[in-house]
Amino acid sequence: MVEINQEEKYINNNSSMQITEGEEATKEQKVQNSPVNKIKITDTTLRDAHQSLLATRMTTEEMIPICESLDRVGYYSMEVWGGATFDSCMRYLNEDPWERLRILRKKLPHTKLQMLLRGQNLLGYKHYPDDVLTEFIKRVVGNGIDIIRIFDALNDLKNVEKAFEVTKKAGAQVQGAICYTISPVHTIELFVQLAKEMESMGADSLCIKDMAGLISPYDAYELVKKIKEVVSIPLQLHTHSTSGMGIMAYLKAIEAGVDVIDTAISSLAFQTSQPPVEPIVAALKGRKEDPGFDLKLLSEISAYFKRVRANHKDMESNIDNIDTNILTYQIPGGMLSNLSYQLRQQKMEEKYEDIIKEIPKVREDLGYPPLVTPTSQIVGSQAVFNVVTGKPYGIISEEVKKYLRGYYGRPPAPVSKQLLEKAGIKPEDIIQGRPADKLEPMMEKAKKEIGFLAEDIEDVLSYALFPQVAREFLKKKAAKRYRIGMEILKGQHNYEEIGYPI
């Protein structure tokens, strides 16, 4: 087994942009809390846009040629990593997600890089112990991330406190994200209270994360206004275009004094993605909020991504334009595109509408969790079981059972008593407190399990998060590194395998 130095690669490779003047940057942010400032814009094209529209299939090779142009736009930040990109790099693209981050840091020297982190879930679909979380965030910041947007799918702040703490120590900005959704228990007052608590926990900025495009223009105005009245740190709004209200919501949020908004380039905007940047820039031209972007430059960037999008047309979701049903079903764009693709693969497209209608029922039974990873997968999978079997909860997934036992945190509302009984879960079975406190450390175990396939600590982290996917990916990496054939690494010992050329 290769000996792994814990400090290996933990160097600021992003010397041109990593915020070394941390205190000054924080001070600057805190004074930018007034509606008279020009609007700042975060670009999502290299992360959430293609995750929402193309099932996260854009490759690093497709990103590199346009980076110089993107770096000249003047974005406040670019979201380039996190979410589903980490898993997809290894699972579908045969790419090292850590290498993608290092490349983008080098290619975007003048723009702050941002990522999305699922709290204690990191980039996976379950909670990870604190030793994995700590090492992961250290490596993320060391490889070039300036801002980490941190959320918990249930808005359970116990599940983000460790990530907040480690991110601050590592020297990156903490953006606390509130998962916006609509339900009998999700009120403006609740979201305002969450904002106050996140600021008290040390957040450098806040984000209203509307992952399904549900927020109406007037609700956006009211929520932004009320949060701005009680916090002193910058506020950002993230939404999607699925319902058709995205651009209107942004304009009303700007009117209310929001500091930053998320947009995508127009050729990868609309549908289940973010609103496009170009109309926002044009609408604000000459006003005090004008970001001052060059529309000609944006047009050139859009033309490039139009060609990239054509490379992945088989990954497109079946939502061609606006889907007002989202206001009833509340399903995020990435979830819709993945569900659509997976049903096509299984030749079950005719079940799509039934599954979409079943999702709100399952969500209510589970106490109205916001539909964002991993709860979107938990709810979605159970809805599929219910529809395909024709018997609601005839099969209860293991993840639903874990959810009911509190492994993901505290649901926003009480769960169905009938469902608890059907799953055989008693009150004493439900976890109280912070779920991660129940987890044993993983890093040393992961190092031993992955053995010589791990070249560095980042490979170990990839394995800790996605054991099966990472093992197969790391075998391919090792085959190239040692110039041997995959048959040998698979244990089939075909020594006549040609292997990789020198």
Side-chain angles (χ1 to χ4, degrees):
M1 176 178 174
V2 177
E3 184 67 27
I4 296 171
N5 181 347
Q6 290 291 322
E7 295 306 314
E8 182 184 357
K9 284 195 178 179
Y10 185 41
I11 301 169
N12 283 335
N13 296 321
N14 51 320
S15 57
S16 60
M17 191 61 226
Q18 181 72 26
I19 299 177
T20 53
E21 64 276 20
E23 292 183 4
E24 184 178 337
T26 303
K27 182 180 177 183
E28 177 188 304
Q29 276 194 314
K30 289 189 176 181
V31 299
Q32 292 172 347
N33 206 32
S34 163
V36 300
N37 291 299
K38 70 177 184 178
I39 193 68
K40 296 177 178 63
I41 295 177
T42 292
D43 175 73
T44 66
T45 305
L46 301 187
R47 208 287 296 177
D48 200 15
H50 72 101
Q51 179 173 320
S52 296
L53 292 175
L54 309 174
T56 330
R57 294 303 201 275
M58 193 189 300
T59 67
T60 305
E61 186 177 354
E62 290 170 324
M63 298 174 184
I64 291 171
I66 200 64
C67 280
E68 184 181 353
S69 296
L70 288 167
D71 203 33
R72 287 192 286 122
V73 173
Y75 290 116
Y76 170 71
S77 64
M78 289 186 63
E79 189 195 45
V80 300
W81 213 67
T85 60
F86 193 94
D87 179 11
S88 291
C89 273
M90 296 187 292
R91 188 186 298 266
Y92 302 118
L93 305 178
N94 194 28
E95 287 190 20
D96 186 338
W98 298 98
E99 187 60 23
R100 172 181 288 190
L101 176 55
R102 286 189 284 272
I103 288 169
L104 292 177
R105 176 68 285 165
K106 184 177 179 182
K107 298 290 183 181
L108 297 163
H110 304 110
T111 307
K112 283 181 280 194
L113 299 189
Q114 183 167 321
M115 72 164 290
L116 182 68
L117 191 81
R118 301 166 182 160
Q120 203 72 32
N121 292 336
L122 298 179
L123 302 179
Y125 307 101
K126 63 179 184 179
H127 280 197
Y128 296 92
D130 288 343
D131 65 331
V132 176
L133 180 146
T134 299
E135 193 61 45
F136 184 84
I137 291 175
K138 281 171 57 180
R139 300 287 159 171
V140 162
V141 177
N143 278 297
I145 290 293
D146 302 294
I147 304 167
I148 303 183
R149 180 178 291 172
I150 303 169
F151 75 93
D152 176 66
L154 299 176
N155 286 322
D156 187 340
L157 299 188
K158 294 189 301 293
N159 294 332
V160 299
E161 60 186 21
K162 188 66 176 179
F164 275 35
E165 173 194 327
V166 176
T167 300
K168 297 281 275 190
K169 286 182 180 176
Q173 292 182 33
V174 172
Q175 183 170 88
I178 300 161
C179 292
Y180 180 86
T181 189
I182 298 172
S183 83
V185 298
H186 290 93
T187 62
I188 294 286
E189 291 72 27
L190 172 67
F191 295 134
V192 171
Q193 182 60 34
L194 286 168
K196 289 166 66 176
E197 290 180 29
M198 283 186 169
E199 181 178 32
S200 70
M201 290 169 63
D204 298 297
S205 63
L206 298 169
C207 176
I208 302 164
K209 179 177 167 57
D210 174 25
M211 54 279 170
L214 298 171
I215 199 164
S216 72
Y218 293 101
D219 284 344
Y221 181 91
E222 182 183 3
L223 183 54
V224 167
K225 202 81 172 169
K226 289 192 173 179
I227 290 178
K228 295 285 285 184
E229 287 172 358
V230 298
V231 303
S232 61
I233 55 178
L235 178 62
Q236 188 155 353
L237 177 59
H238 168 96
T239 192
H240 290 248
S241 298
T242 322
S243 70
M245 296 192 292
I247 290 180
M248 294 184 286
Y250 276 165
L251 289 176
K252 289 301 290 184
I254 291 168
E255 199 177 299
V258 80
D259 299 282
V260 194
I261 57 172
D262 287 5
T263 65
I265 201 69
S266 57
S267 52
L268 279 170
F270 287 127
Q271 295 169 262
T272 54
S273 179
Q274 277 68 57
V277 64
E278 296 94 325
I280 299 287
V281 172
L284 298 177
K285 189 171 181 60
R287 294 179 55 85
K288 62 181 182 295
E289 304 94 346
D290 185 351
F293 291 178
D294 181 345
L295 282 169
K296 183 179 179 184
L297 174 60
L298 293 174
S299 177
E300 292 167 1
I301 294 169
S302 181
Y304 175 82
F305 281 111
K306 184 177 182 180
R307 297 191 295 273
V308 169
R309 184 171 181 172
N311 297 337
H312 305 283
K313 58 186 177 183
D314 56 328
M315 292 290 129
E316 295 265 5
S317 78
N318 61 354
I319 296 179
D320 295 327
N321 206 328
I322 290 170
D323 182 6
T324 52
N325 287 328
I326 191 70
L327 300 173
T328 302
Y329 306 139
Q330 302 190 22
I331 302 170
M335 183 178 178
L336 284 172
S337 64
N338 278 317
L339 176 63
S340 171
Y341 174 71
Q342 288 165 10
L343 289 175
R344 282 203 307 272
Q345 292 291 97
Q346 298 297 321
K347 302 189 184 307
M348 293 170 57
E349 299 101 314
E350 76 281 359
K351 302 287 187 185
Y352 181 82
E353 289 298 328
D354 290 336
I355 292 169
I356 294 299
K357 291 175 184 176
E358 181 67 16
I359 284 171
K361 299 175 187 176
V362 175
R363 179 175 178 248
E364 180 179 355
D365 289 339
L366 294 181
Y368 296 106
L371 291 181
V372 62
T373 302
T375 51
S376 55
Q377 284 80 6
I378 294 168
V379 172
S381 297
Q382 187 60 54
V384 170
F385 284 140
N386 290 358
V387 168
V388 171
T389 64
K391 297 177 180 178
Y393 304 109
I395 298 173
I396 300 177
S397 74
E398 285 304 310
E399 292 308 313
V400 166
K401 290 177 182 177
K402 286 182 180 178
Y403 174 93
L404 295 172
R405 291 190 186 102
Y407 278 85
Y408 293 92
R410 184 181 60 202
V415 301
S416 162
K417 289 181 180 179
Q418 291 82 1
L419 180 54
L420 283 170
E421 290 172 5
K422 206 163 191 177
I425 295 170
K426 301 173 183 176
E428 58 267 28
D429 298 329
I430 299 171
I431 292 173
Q432 304 299 322
R434 181 172 171 265
D437 289 338
K438 303 286 185 182
L439 302 176
E440 295 292 327
M442 274 182 69
M443 284 302 292
E444 291 304 317
K445 181 183 177 186
K447 285 183 201 175
K448 290 176 183 175
E449 287 180 355
I450 196 59
F452 79 95
L453 291 178
E455 186 178 8
D456 51 42
I457 199 68
E458 290 155 6
D459 287 345
V460 176
L461 286 163
S462 297
Y463 174 77
L465 265 63
F466 299 101
Q468 293 179 325
V469 172
R471 183 178 286 279
E472 290 307 306
F473 171 72
L474 293 174
K475 282 179 181 177
K476 294 173 186 175
K477 268 185 74 175
K480 291 181 180 180
R481 187 164 70 248
Y482 299 119
R483 303 185 185 89
I484 58 177
M486 282 296 295
E487 297 301 318
I488 297 173
L489 290 173
K490 288 177 180 176
Q492 297 173 9
H493 306 299
N494 181 359
Y495 292 109
E496 295 182 359
E497 182 76 22
I498 294 173
Y500 286 86
I502 296 174

